[in-house]
Amino acid sequence: MHMADALLSPAVGGAMWAVSAGTIAISSAKLRLEQDDRQAPLMGVLGAFLFASQMINFSIPGTGSSGHLSGGLLLAVLLGPWASFLTVASVLVVQALFFADGGLLALGCNIFNLGIIPSFLVYPFLYRGLSSGSPGRFREILAVMTSALVSLQLGSLAVVLETGLSGISSLPLERFLLLMQPIHLAIGAVEGAITVAVLSFVRKARPELLQRAPEGSAGRSRSTVLAAFLFLALAASGFFSQLASQNPDGLEWSIAKAGRPDVAAGTGEGMHAFLARLQEKSAWFPDYAVKRASGPLPNAASGVPAVASAVPGIVGTVLTLALVCVAAFLLKRGRARAVSPDA
């Protein structure tokens, strides 16, 4: 659900930027007060893991579409809502700036849809309610699957509403909605299954990482678990991403099926044009590929060829790891200054 700028008006895009930026500020302040000193490397490694996982599109049988892990719910369970939101937001910033995955005007919408919804709506009000107390294995799976489905449904609904409120798209919104919801229901089912699998691994390897795990739970060393996630991230971005489905993702598929692939008009000038030029300059690996020649970002209408390579994925994984760790370190440093008697 990485929205492109062509779906949004500057007014809607700017409003969502304000909402997302405000939430980033609040989350940073909360995390500065509550942060566990050991959480920074976990945020970094899970951010790298999420970036790499989102490169692997899986096919949705019988549709010609594909999807990928959104990861907001998974990170909320492992990190808590404040840290998970900041980690997801960091991943989306790296994707937009350096890989042209999602527009710059749309970045606020993408952070809201993929970060705020799972971290601050689905996780506290649905997942925690369904998994409260001492749930058995079945109840935990039910909580994860239900929350993943609802998270993807709310996110895809938000995309349609943001597009409709913008008023610059020629998409028939009723048909767009009727396409977006079912395809993201299927994607949500896969998301839930992946989340269950990852949480099962964590529960066996390092149960104290889970929010409600009892203190003193036995498990492998923290460094071993972090190394496992980092290894999976590098393997996913460097190798498994080359095996990803080439089918359009759920959003692209819905736009095409709605009968209006050329969805916007009047976006070749003004704010849209400025941000497109900015993204063209900042994107090292547009569409996760190495450009053979300089020119506009490769897309369906561009003649600039690109080469599939493991390099963009590995660079993005390492960049995300570094960005999240640095951000967490700065928050920790800010907290230390706030409590220092000399401050």
Side-chain angles (χ1 to χ4, degrees), residues 16 26 31-32 37 43 46 60 63 74 97 102 107-108 149 160 167 224 256 272 274 280 292 327:
M16 297 308 294
I26 294 171
L31 201 59
R32 188 180 295 117
D37 291 344
M43 289 173 62
L46 288 177
I60 304 300
T63 65
L74 172 63
L97 281 177
L107 183 57
L149 291 172
V160 176
T224 301
H272 288 86
F274 170 76
E280 180 183 329
R292 287 177 176 166

Side-chain angles (χ1 to χ4, degrees), residues 229-243:
F229 272 111
L230 184 57
F231 172 79
L232 289 173
L234 292 172
S237 61
F239 175 72
F240 292 109
S241 62
Q242 306 301 305
L243 307 177

